[in-house]
Amino acid sequence: MEHKFFYTKYALRCFRIISVIYALFLVFTEVMHFFTRTSVINIIKDATINYSDLFTRIVNFIVIVLFIIIAVFPKKIGLLSCTAFFYSFTIIPFEPRNYMGLLMYVLGISILLARGLMKNHKKTKLIILGCVYFALLLTHLRFGFHNFINYFVINAGGILVLALAIFFFHGYYLNTIMFEGKKLNLALYPKLNERDCRILQGIQKREKYSVIANNEGITEGTLKNRLHEVYNILECGDKQGFLSYYEDWELLFDPSLLPPPTEIPEIKEEDA
């Protein structure tokens, strides 16, 4: 199935609007930051330089430029990954307890994946990105080794939670959103038959086991045993897993819709 979501007119229009909104928001934020009383006093009286704040100001300026570029050329959505990484670099080293840095870093990787910029040498690139993130975490050593361990554990827990969330959302996407014309031809599975199709249609309708078994002329025990086998063949686990996958799918058993078997040319004796 071909996916063109990121390049439809609707999606590109959304990217333009979002980019304009964020650019204006950042411009407003920077103007307010410059003209606040505290900032003016610091500029005039305080000779010390807050490098963290200065770095944030520079990053915001770069991000404003990137958002303007995306607003003009919305197909350049890969630049959004740059904005996410820039913000993660301003947060992770300076605010160890701020989860936004981790979220921004994961967002940057997700955009690269969605844009197709990770297709070549994906494992190598992921390893590099992982090493960069670990290097950012190492900056917390300046707060002391004990604090570094605490921050590392917190970040490791956050990464695990994010990974699980992405895993389950990805599964939900594949099972309920990705497919068009949701039809499952059970004839694709050699070990299934027309009766299995009728049984599963009854499961879809939330019919009781006793009703399904009576309709098929079998006992409930035989029905449950067969369903256990069918769920394993379909690799959906159990009844709830089946319903989470196929509740709104059209089930059919039609061998005529199967693709033709691959013809293997015979090997003649003189060719052997």
Side-chain angles (χ1 to χ4, degrees), residues 17 19 27-28 74 84 92-93 113 129 131 135 157 200 207 225 230-231 240 245 250 252 265:
I17 294 172
S19 299
V27 169
F28 175 78
I92 295 173
L113 289 168
L129 288 169
C131 291
L200 291 176
E207 293 178 352
N225 289 335
V230 171
Y231 294 148
Q240 184 57 48
Y245 273 78
E250 178 186 349
L252 66 152

Side-chain angles (χ1 to χ4, degrees), residues 65-83:
V65 174
L66 290 176
F67 274 129
I68 293 173
I69 293 173
I70 296 170
V72 179
F73 306 103
K75 291 183 180 180
K76 302 294 185 180
I77 56 173
L79 293 175
L80 287 175
S81 63
C82 296
T83 65

Side-chain angles (χ1 to χ4, degrees), residues 1-261:
M1 184 177 117
E2 193 174 353
H3 299 285
K4 297 181 179 178
F5 168 77
F6 291 107
Y7 308 104
T8 60
K9 291 182 179 180
Y10 175 78
L12 295 178
R13 190 181 305 117
C14 288
F15 292 142
R16 275 199 173 99
I17 294 172
I18 292 172
S19 299
V20 170
I21 291 174
Y22 270 94
L24 291 175
F25 174 76
L26 288 174
V27 169
F28 175 78
T29 301
E30 289 304 302
V31 171
M32 290 296 295
H33 180 271
F34 183 79
F35 284 104
T36 54
R37 180 183 177 187
T38 304
S39 295
V40 173
I41 292 175
N42 287 338
I43 292 172
I44 297 174
K45 295 183 177 181
D46 195 351
T48 61
I49 299 176
N50 187 332
Y51 291 101
S52 173
D53 184 69
L54 177 62
F55 186 49
T56 301
R57 306 278 74 78
I58 294 173
V59 168
N60 280 346
F61 175 76
I62 295 173
V63 170
I64 290 171
V65 174
L66 290 176
F67 274 129
I68 293 173
I69 293 173
I70 296 170
V72 179
F73 306 103
K75 291 183 180 180
K76 302 294 185 180
I77 56 173
L79 293 175
L80 287 175
S81 63
C82 296
T83 65
F85 286 130
F86 278 137
Y87 278 124
S88 67
F89 294 158
T90 64
I91 296 173
I92 295 173
F94 305 108
E95 302 177 47
R97 296 186 180 276
N98 190 342
Y99 269 114
M100 189 57 69
L102 173 61
L103 293 175
M104 283 293 182
Y105 202 81
V106 173
L107 175 62
I109 296 174
S110 301
I111 294 171
L112 290 178
L113 289 168
R115 184 73 169 93
L117 298 174
M118 301 283 284
K119 284 186 177 181
N120 298 325
H121 311 292
K122 181 187 293 186
K123 290 183 179 179
T124 302
K125 292 176 180 178
L126 287 175
I127 290 173
I128 292 173
L129 288 169
C131 291
V132 170
Y133 184 76
F134 184 72
L136 291 172
L137 292 182
L138 287 177
T139 61
H140 299 164
L141 282 170
R142 69 185 188 277
F143 300 115
F145 184 75
H146 179 72
N147 287 328
F148 167 74
I149 295 297
N150 289 334
Y151 299 150
F152 183 82
V153 171
I154 291 172
N155 278 273
I159 291 173
L160 178 61
V161 171
L162 272 176
L164 288 172
I166 292 171
F167 173 77
F168 286 116
F169 181 79
H170 179 66
Y172 170 78
Y173 172 77
L174 289 179
N175 298 333
T176 62
I177 300 175
M178 178 178 173
F179 299 98
E180 296 176 356
K182 299 178 181 179
K183 293 183 180 181
L184 176 63
N185 186 3
L186 296 177
L188 290 169
Y189 299 87
K191 295 183 179 180
L192 301 183
N193 52 47
E194 288 189 68
R195 190 181 72 175
D196 295 327
C197 184
R198 294 193 298 269
I199 289 174
L200 291 176
Q201 288 171 343
I203 296 296
Q204 282 183 322
K205 297 174 184 176
R206 309 280 180 154
E207 293 178 352
K208 294 182 178 180
Y209 288 141
S210 58
V211 174
I212 298 174
N214 183 63
N215 291 339
E216 298 300 327
I218 56 178
T219 64
E220 283 191 48
T222 301
L223 172 66
K224 291 179 181 179
N225 289 335
R226 181 55 184 168
L227 279 172
H228 178 73
E229 296 175 2
V230 171
Y231 294 148
N232 285 336
I233 293 170
L234 294 177
E235 298 182 331
C236 57
D238 54 14
K239 178 181 178 180
Q240 184 57 48
F242 169 77
L243 291 174
S244 69
Y245 273 78
Y246 301 114
E247 184 172 18
D248 57 344
W249 285 51
E250 178 186 349
L251 301 182
L252 66 152
F253 188 89
D254 191 348
S256 65
L257 297 178
L258 296 179

